[in-house]
Amino acid sequence: MSKDNVISAVIGVLLGFIAGSLSHEVMSARQPARFVPGSTAPGVAADPNAGMGAPTAPAPGAQAPGAAPAPGGGGPAMAQVQEMQSRVARDPNDADAVLALANMNFDIQNWSKARDLYARYLELRPGNPDIMSDLGVTYRELKEYDKALELFDQAQTIAPDHWQSRFNEVIVLAFDLKKFDEADRVLDELRRMQPGNADVERLASEVNRQRGAA
């Protein structure tokens, strides 16, 4: 390979990395941090099995489901992805590996794969509102907005205090469907549930900005 070709290849890799980092920045601005049940501190990963029996240690490389990727942070290491893929291939019923692999695909914005894996996890361990909300986010990114709203509603039916699904519901209603009146009703409820939450207030400001631009 010539020197010019090597330089072009390196530039291509760097541009891809920068684009990926910027995409993570956007995702971070649009996804609320998750709370540990009973905690008021944002940004702490919740146990995905909370309330569903004895907690288990997170699988290697797994990110808290629904939590935003760290701004500018890299995605999962290839070795971690390969490890989880190998575990799932050996045992498709390994729910922890399925969830870890789903989170990895979420982090790299491989929405179709993340959707399929979250759906599989819910087959193995049904009734988890956090994962329902995560699955709803993947449908939203795939522009299947009605399906996304359906998943958020299911999460709220199971856990009436599940504020993250309401946060994401506001995004779909206001940003994607331009249903601002409906978004306002959900936003009012969200503010009552999360008073003083800076992410919620930023969301409210952005909804107003979107309404003005519509």
Side-chain angles (χ1 to χ4, degrees):
M1 179 180 292
S2 70
K3 180 179 178 181
D4 288 343
N5 287 339
V6 170
I7 293 173
S8 297
V10 170
I11 291 173
V13 170
L14 288 174
L15 288 175
F17 175 79
I18 292 169
S21 297
L22 290 174
S23 295
H24 281 310
E25 294 276 1
V26 172
M27 284 298 296
S28 296
R30 301 292 290 275
Q31 296 300 321
R34 178 160 300 166
F35 287 92
V36 172
S39 169
T40 57
V44 182
D47 177 1
N49 300 307
M52 302 180 65
T56 58
Q63 179 180 345
M78 183 58 66
Q80 294 172 327
V81 175
Q82 290 174 342
E83 178 187 353
M84 291 303 108
Q85 287 176 333
S86 178
R87 281 180 56 177
V88 172
R90 289 196 305 269
D91 181 6
N93 296 324
D94 185 342
D96 291 332
V98 169
L99 179 57
L101 193 56
N103 290 335
M104 291 174 184
N105 279 276
F106 188 103
D107 288 351
I108 63 174
Q109 302 178 41
N110 186 354
W111 303 118
S112 295
K113 187 66 173 178
R115 174 200 59 198
D116 296 344
L117 288 163
Y118 282 135
R120 176 58 180 159
Y121 180 85
L122 287 171
E123 290 176 357
L124 297 170
R125 293 182 182 169
N128 188 317
D130 288 341
I131 307 305
M132 288 178 181
S133 185
D134 296 337
L135 180 56
V137 171
T138 66
Y139 274 112
R140 184 254 172 176
E141 295 294 343
L142 292 167
K143 303 187 185 306
E144 296 187 44
Y145 304 125
D146 289 342
K147 188 64 177 178
L149 292 174
E150 179 184 332
L151 266 296
F152 300 147
D153 183 67
Q154 289 179 22
Q156 294 160 29
T157 299
I158 291 173
D161 61 346
H162 198 267
W163 70 273
Q164 292 91 344
S165 57
R166 288 176 174 81
F167 189 107
N168 291 321
E169 183 179 0
V170 171
I171 289 174
V172 172
L173 290 171
F175 291 74
D176 302 316
L177 300 179
K178 309 301 181 185
K179 295 182 177 181
F180 294 108
D181 290 343
E182 293 183 37
D184 283 343
R185 286 194 289 271
V186 180
L187 188 57
D188 287 343
E189 186 176 5
L190 181 59
R191 280 171 145 168
R192 287 194 296 270
M193 296 173 68
Q194 288 288 307
N197 186 320
D199 286 333
V200 172
E201 294 309 312
R202 280 193 291 270
L203 176 63
S205 296
E206 184 61 21
V207 169
N208 286 331
R209 192 182 72 81
Q210 291 285 324
R211 180 188 288 106

